[in-house]
Amino acid sequence: EQLNFFHDHTLLILTMITILVGYIMGMLSFNKFTNRFLLHGQTIEIIWTVLPAIILMFIAFPSLRLLYLMDEINTPSITLKSIGHQWYWSYEYSDFLNLEFDSYMVPTNELEMNGFRLLDVDNRVVLPMNNQIRILVTATDVLHSWTVPSLGVKVDATPGRLNQINFLINRPGLFFGQCSEICGA
């Protein structure tokens, strides 16, 4: 939700800038009069140097706040270990004894009529709603990226390294992950 709010905030600022610049360019192209004080002057140069810096601060401060909020690790209710392989993922629920499985993409010829091509898998991960969830991500062979765009989650899986990300699912649903990097050979 905070990512969506930040997106809307930034889009509003960029829209205002675009409208202002478009208006000024339109007035300059259709106006035959020129102001000699507007073309040369210390004051106007200070204004068009300081104003963009202030606008950038209005974008940077919420961005940094959100970056630190996303990196904050709360006490998770459940931990899921996700291991990337070429063309499939292995999952281990660390909080339960001996609960691990592989998740393969469903081939197009075996896909049901209402299935999503290149998104549906044979074994889905089930995670609780309204609980802090920690995902530990690694890979066995090459670089991968564990991504669920509708949850705003993306973390890289690197062989020999354990990355973690923390998130909260605040609505029920079926969320699809997808490959967002070129992985493997």
Side-chain angles (χ1 to χ4, degrees):
E1 287 179 357
Q2 293 293 322
L3 283 172
N4 284 333
F5 291 149
F6 175 69
H7 173 265
D8 294 343
H9 168 76
T10 307
L11 196 62
L12 182 69
I13 291 174
L14 291 176
T15 303
M16 289 190 309
I17 290 171
T18 305
I19 290 171
L20 179 69
V21 169
Y23 174 75
I24 291 173
M25 287 178 62
M27 293 309 292
L28 284 174
S29 62
F30 294 117
N31 192 355
K32 302 289 186 231
F33 303 113
T34 58
N35 186 348
R36 65 185 176 102
F37 297 113
L38 189 62
L39 296 177
H40 300 289
Q42 190 73 26
T43 309
I44 192 67
E45 290 183 11
I46 290 173
I47 289 172
W48 71 44
T49 304
V50 171
L51 191 64
I54 292 171
I55 292 172
L56 284 176
M57 282 192 272
F58 274 106
I59 295 174
F61 288 141
S63 172
L64 289 173
R65 179 186 156 275
L66 185 59
L67 188 64
Y68 285 112
L69 277 177
M70 288 176 57
D71 203 30
E72 182 179 317
I73 302 297
N74 298 323
T75 6
S77 300
I78 189 167
T79 300
L80 176 72
K81 185 175 182 186
S82 176
I83 305 164
H85 305 275
Q86 284 192 10
W87 307 112
Y88 72 98
W89 289 87
S90 296
Y91 294 101
E92 300 173 7
Y93 286 94
S94 305
D95 301 329
F96 305 103
L97 295 176
N98 202 16
L99 184 55
E100 55 187 57
F101 60 92
D102 293 333
S103 181
Y104 291 91
M105 217 175 359
V106 176
T108 307
N109 58 349
E110 297 175 14
L111 200 59
E112 294 178 15
M113 204 55 177
N114 59 353
F116 292 100
R117 185 169 117 21
L118 299 178
L119 291 176
D120 264 332
V121 292
D122 57 353
N123 293 319
R124 293 181 175 155
V125 172
V126 178
L127 294 172
M129 187 178 84
N130 293 328
N131 288 308
Q132 285 294 326
I133 301 164
R134 176 175 54 190
I135 307 285
L136 302 174
V137 181
T138 188
T140 57
D141 43 19
V142 295
L143 294 175
H144 297 281
S145 183
W146 195 88
T147 308
V148 182
S150 57
L151 295 176
V153 177
K154 178 179 180 182
V155 62
D156 289 333
T158 309
R161 182 175 178 176
L162 197 62
N163 290 332
Q164 78 174 3
I165 193 158
N166 196 18
F167 62 93
L168 178 108
I169 300 173
N170 61 358
R171 62 189 184 280
L174 182 62
F175 303 102
F176 289 103
Q178 61 190 35
C179 187
S180 59
E181 291 183 4
I182 298 176
C183 311

